[in-house]
Amino acid sequence: MRTWTQTPRKQEAGSLTTLAAASVVESWERQSRALRLLRAFLGVTFLYAGIQKLADPNFFQPGRPTFIGAQLRAFANGSPIAPLLHLLAHFPTATGVVVALGETAIGVAVLLGVGAIVAASCGCAISTVLWLSATWHIHPFFLGSDSIYAVAWGAYGLSMWDARPRRATESRPARATQSRYSANSAASTLDRRNFLRGGMVMAGTLGFAVFARLLSRLSEATPSSGGLSAAGTRSTRATRAPSTPRSATPSSSSSPLRGQVIGSLDKLKVGQPVAFTSGDGTPAALFRLSKDKVVAYSRVCTHAGCTVGYDPSTKVLYCPCHGAEFDPRHGARVLAGPAPVPLPKIAVAIDPTTRNVVLPS
């Protein structure tokens, strides 16, 4: 009786099908502890990065402190990929959507184990672009996180690629014969599974995007005030305020000042910062220099536009992204890091009748 035997070409096709099936989904149990740790860290980090961009109410708004277009223009200064960044700056909203959704999709895919090699390649590409732009001027180079992310994504992708032959061998059928019908059936099943897994990634990405936009609306409705701390969100370089006095002192005018009240001078300790938001939405900080002198600065770093915080131990404003430091007691001059110029000043005044610090309207 004649039986169907698998020819070398059929054997090769079956091996490729099995290889593809093994490379689509990678379970946590089959990976080493080191690879699980790397996978979890990269997946969660990129998922968080995508949600953070989508949840920022100013990320897609021109003229706002965190607008993606201004980020691209700031990153282009001295970058080896400046032509690419200038090109993307002509389509800021589309670029922002692609980056935010791309980071979210990469995080979801890596955590679910779907298309790990493709996700790792995309993650490495994004990190490399950020390395050549946002953190290109960081010295020494190992202080820039994007270069580390690029290497980590490359290592994860290579690990998944090297594991493909082993997984294919482990899942190869024991028998050497296979009918043409069963081979076609396996390929059809694989196509359906790939479609469902891709749908899971898309559904997860859209779900997190909707969640992030809801957070964005909540943050728009909640004004920021209170203490001063550093935020890790990349934002844009602030528009420089017009030339203002070095510090504000009580006015001799008897009429009350009009504008946004930041706080009471009598309740503010010398050297103590107060966070507030300026009229154009820029995060800012107010400092009391002495008994009757105050000064205010934008909190948008002049390097890559991150929101700076205040370190009470060293009494400096510092950037959590790239390590820039500014001295609030001496015009916010640059003390360390890659920032090219001091923080922009913001005009404030002291009302002589109420002794309130006012942001003039």
Side-chain angles (χ1 to χ4, degrees):
M1 184 174 66
R2 183 178 180 182
T3 60
W4 286 97
T5 58
Q6 194 174 32
T7 63
R9 179 173 297 180
K10 292 179 180 178
Q11 291 177 356
E12 181 180 358
S15 299
L16 292 176
T17 302
T18 305
L19 196 62
S23 64
V24 173
V25 174
E26 178 66 25
S27 64
W28 292 87
E29 293 79 8
R30 299 178 65 178
Q31 291 182 329
S32 65
R33 288 179 294 179
L35 207 55
R36 291 180 204 170
L37 177 62
L38 185 60
R39 171 182 174 182
F41 176 76
L42 292 174
V44 170
T45 300
F46 261 56
L47 178 59
Y48 174 74
I51 293 176
Q52 193 177 50
K53 290 179 177 62
L54 293 170
D56 185 350
N58 301 319
F59 188 68
F60 301 104
Q61 297 294 327
R64 294 295 184 89
T66 54
F67 179 50
I68 175 61
Q71 290 190 53
L72 293 171
R73 289 190 292 271
F75 293 160
N77 294 329
S79 170
I81 57 171
L84 173 62
L85 298 178
H86 285 303
L87 175 63
L88 296 177
H90 286 87
F91 313 95
T93 301
T95 300
V97 170
V98 170
V99 171
L101 291 181
E103 289 179 337
T104 305
I106 290 171
V108 172
V110 170
L111 293 176
L112 293 180
V114 179
I117 296 176
V118 175
S121 300
C122 294
C124 183
I126 291 178
S127 298
T128 301
V129 170
L130 290 175
W131 175 22
L132 298 176
S133 56
T135 55
W136 178 251
H137 297 289
I138 302 300
H139 298 288
F141 74 92
F142 51 79
L143 295 179
S145 60
D146 293 314
S147 59
I148 305 302
Y149 278 108
V151 174
W153 277 117
Y156 180 71
L158 290 175
S159 298
M160 298 301 296
W161 181 269
D162 292 341
R164 295 176 71 197
R166 176 177 55 82
R167 291 197 303 268
T169 302
E170 292 175 354
S171 59
R172 183 176 299 166
R175 59 184 182 178
T177 60
Q178 182 182 24
S179 66
R180 184 177 301 174
Y181 173 78
S182 62
N184 294 334
S185 177
S188 177
T189 301
L190 177 61
D191 291 339
R192 287 196 298 270
R193 289 179 179 176
N194 290 343
F195 179 79
L196 292 175
R197 289 158 182 164
M200 290 173 57
V201 174
M202 292 181 60
T205 302
L206 293 177
F208 281 113
V210 172
F211 171 72
R213 295 311 294 170
L214 292 176
L215 291 180
S216 174
R217 293 186 178 182
L218 290 176
S219 63
E220 282 183 320
T222 305
S224 60
S225 60
L228 183 63
S229 60
T233 308
R234 281 196 179 95
S235 60
T236 181
R237 182 174 297 182
T239 303
R240 294 184 180 275
S243 178
T244 61
R246 295 186 61 87
S247 60
T249 57
S251 172
S252 59
S253 174
S254 58
S255 59
L257 297 177
R258 295 182 179 181
Q260 174 187 341
V261 176
I262 302 174
S264 174
L265 182 65
D266 296 330
K267 295 181 180 180
L268 184 63
K269 297 180 181 179
V270 175
Q272 177 185 353
V274 172
F276 69 97
T277 302
S278 66
D280 62 354
T282 301
L286 172 71
F287 289 86
R288 184 176 183 180
L289 301 179
S290 62
K291 181 180 178 180
D292 292 322
K293 287 186 179 182
V294 294
V295 66
Y297 304 105
S298 166
R299 292 177 57 201
V300 179
C301 181
T302 54
H303 168 234
C306 297
T307 304
V308 302
Y310 181 70
D311 185 354
S313 61
T314 58
K315 298 181 179 180
V316 299
L317 290 162
Y318 70 97
C319 176
C321 296
H322 310 124
E325 296 182 358
F326 306 89
D327 186 356
R329 296 166 296 178
H330 298 89
R333 63 185 178 91
V334 181
L335 297 176
V341 293
L343 295 173
K345 296 176 183 177
I346 295 179
V348 294
I350 300 175
D351 191 318
T353 57
T354 62
R355 292 184 62 79
N356 286 333
V357 181
V358 179
L359 182 66
S361 56

